[in-house]
Amino acid sequence: MSELDKLLASCLYEIASCDDLKKLDQIKNAVFGKNGKITEMLKALKGLSDVEKREIGAKINAVKDTVNSRLNAKFVELEIALQEKKLASEFIDVTMPTPLHRGGTIHPLTKVMEEVSDIMVSYGFVLADGPDIESEYYNFTTLNMPDHHPARTMHDTFYTNMCADEHGRKLLRTHTSPVQTHAMLTHKPPFRFFAMGRVFRSDYDATHTPMFNQVECIMVDKDVSFANLKWFIANFLKKFFAAPNLSVRFRPSFFPFTEPSAEVDMNYEIKDGKMVFGSGDKWLEIGGAGMVHPNVLKYGNVDPDIYQGFAFGFGLERMASLKYGVPDLRNYFESNERWRNKFGFSYVTR
Ligand code: DAH
């Protein structure tokens, strides 16, 4: 066996049994590098005659080509293997639950909705629902705001370009109060309902977003009184804010759908830069309330000579912001991961 044949055999053996890119590089260097075996052989051609050069040179080149192509093939093979190994080690099963340490969080709004539901249900209220796309009839008329009533302009309403029907133009509901009518029309009194959901108004700054959420509440019975309303709201807020000493103040106000109407405030003070509810003599508005207007009962097929009721409506983001210190309403809907990690809640410890 000539030296060249031996070199070829040993090179092919080494390449075939190599399983590492670095080692393969060393093999390549040992053959083709500056002092590599084939490089040396080619250098040695210098001292030979032209005939020998041509004959031996051709043989060396043939070995060179074979070794080269085997080397290249092996490089590709090892690179693919490395990549596959890496991919296998980085495999993520997207169907697995998110790992806790970097997982999703419960949105503060969801958390507050659950807390509000728990309280309302504990007082015997049943969850009611209504559509986001309402008609003028339910959003305004049944709430004692007839056509051209100035109160209709109190809300900057988004009207849709959908066809109007016997209930007037279609719009994005500006409050959850129309759910009161839907609930009354589908149930016989006495009843207690609450509703939570999106409402829409054309408004945008740090404390207003074009979409936000409200909780609505209505209780109808033969002897429901304003005192009941005040007691219930005070207890609801005490529970929600976990502040047993919370004071609630009713300020006379106007809503077309309630008579009398009130704006509801609760007391607070600032301690160490934080709002503390239930102590101090500062007052903060939390929503509107009142006794359901007889006309609203009539639109809901409830006889106002037999029944009366109370109702209130609060902003849910506002409640969440106050309870959990979330600034700027706009962040609620931007789905920023850092914001969610800061203000969201773990789905395990809640
Ligand atoms: N619908 C009112 C609003 O969006 C809030 C409200 C006030 C609801 C008084 C009520 C109520 O049920 O009695 O501004």
Side-chain angles (χ1 to χ4, degrees):
M1 207 189 221
S2 74
E3 208 186 319
L4 203 55
D5 289 337
K6 272 189 209 161
L7 177 64
L8 178 63
S10 80
C11 278
L12 295 185
Y13 173 74
E14 278 182 58
I15 293 170
S17 55
C18 180
D19 60 359
D20 181 272
L21 276 169
K22 243 192 194 157
K23 275 188 211 152
L24 196 63
D25 233 15
Q26 284 165 2
I27 296 171
K28 185 179 173 182
N29 233 353
V31 188
F32 298 119
K34 224 169 152 201
N35 302 313
K37 284 176 188 151
I38 290 192
T39 317
E40 292 292 335
M41 283 180 171
L42 288 170
K43 274 188 209 162
L45 286 177
K46 260 189 198 166
L48 301 179
S49 68
D50 281 355
V51 180
E52 283 172 323
K53 263 186 200 163
R54 212 172 299 136
E55 191 191 327
I56 301 175
K59 279 185 185 161
I60 298 175
N61 273 336
V63 170
K64 191 179 152 187
D65 287 348
T66 311
V67 174
N68 219 354
S69 71
R70 289 287 176 91
L71 267 174
N72 288 340
K74 192 71 181 184
F75 269 118
V76 172
E77 183 190 317
L78 290 181
E79 262 157 23
I80 290 174
L82 188 74
Q83 213 163 42
E84 275 172 0
K85 205 169 145 193
K86 203 167 161 224
L87 281 177
S89 75
E90 288 172 2
F91 173 74
I92 296 170
D93 183 352
V94 291
T95 63
M96 290 282 282
T98 328
L100 287 184
H101 60 279
R102 52 180 291 274
T105 53
I106 303 278
H107 195 283
L109 193 61
T110 308
K111 168 98 169 149
V112 160
M113 283 179 160
E114 286 176 0
E115 291 170 352
V116 167
S117 284
D118 284 350
I119 300 172
M120 297 307 284
V121 168
S122 77
Y123 282 107
F125 285 79
V126 174
L127 186 66
D129 204 4
D132 287 1
I133 299 175
E134 268 295 3
S135 58
E136 287 179 289
Y137 179 75
Y138 285 106
N139 195 75
F140 295 125
T141 313
T142 67
L143 293 161
N144 200 29
M145 288 180 262
D147 285 357
H148 313 298
H149 190 289
R152 288 196 181 201
T153 56
M154 271 164 54
H155 300 171
D156 290 311
T157 311
F158 288 114
Y159 287 91
T160 73
N161 53 11
M162 295 161 77
C163 284
D165 57 19
E166 77 274 20
H167 289 144
R169 284 181 289 172
K170 298 281 180 200
L171 47 83
L172 300 182
R173 68 176 177 191
T174 59
H175 52 173
T176 42
S177 300
V179 181
Q180 291 187 19
T181 315
H182 291 298
M184 284 193 278
L185 286 173
T186 46
H187 297 83
K188 276 196 161 44
F191 46 66
R192 302 170 201 195
F193 288 110
F194 76 109
M196 293 185 295
R198 298 183 193 98
V199 301
F200 307 83
R201 290 180 203 174
S202 179
D203 221 345
Y204 189 68
D205 60 34
T207 53
H208 297 90
T209 48
M211 185 206 78
F212 57 103
N213 289 264
Q214 289 186 330
V215 52
E216 186 81 24
C217 170
I218 179 167
M219 174 170 180
V220 171
D221 207 336
K222 285 181 180 152
D223 50 6
V224 173
S225 69
F226 199 80
N228 295 146
L229 170 66
K230 201 169 176 200
W231 181 91
F232 181 73
I233 286 185
N235 276 278
F236 171 73
L237 294 175
K238 279 177 190 176
K239 288 208 166 150
F240 179 77
F241 286 103
N245 297 322
L246 190 87
S247 297
V248 169
R249 181 174 81 171
F250 275 40
R251 264 180 302 114
S253 186
F254 170 78
F255 297 105
F257 30 91
T258 43
E259 182 58 38
S261 304
E263 253 151 330
V264 182
D265 298 340
M266 48 188 205
N267 73 322
Y268 75 99
E269 65 180 329
I270 306 277
K271 263 192 198 156
D272 302 326
K274 278 192 170 170
M275 280 180 129
V276 180
F277 296 105
S279 60
D281 54 7
K282 289 188 162 57
W283 295 96
L284 191 96
E285 189 190 318
I286 184 86
M291 298 304 290
V292 182
H293 195 287
N295 288 346
V296 175
L297 292 174
K298 276 189 215 157
Y299 276 112
N301 265 346
V302 174
D303 186 346
D305 292 329
I306 305 174
Y307 291 100
Q308 51 191 18
F310 70 61
F312 65 83
F314 296 162
L316 284 169
E317 286 82 3
R318 176 129 225 235
M319 291 172 71
S321 291
L322 294 174
K323 184 165 180 183
Y324 296 115
V326 186
D328 200 330
L329 212 60
R330 290 169 290 200
N331 292 329
Y332 277 86
F333 313 110
E334 283 168 2
S335 209
N336 177 301
E337 192 181 355
R338 279 200 294 168
W339 184 87
R340 280 187 280 118
N341 287 339
K342 182 164 162 56
F343 293 109
F345 296 86
S346 160
Y347 51 83
V348 174
T349 56
R350 81 195 142 108

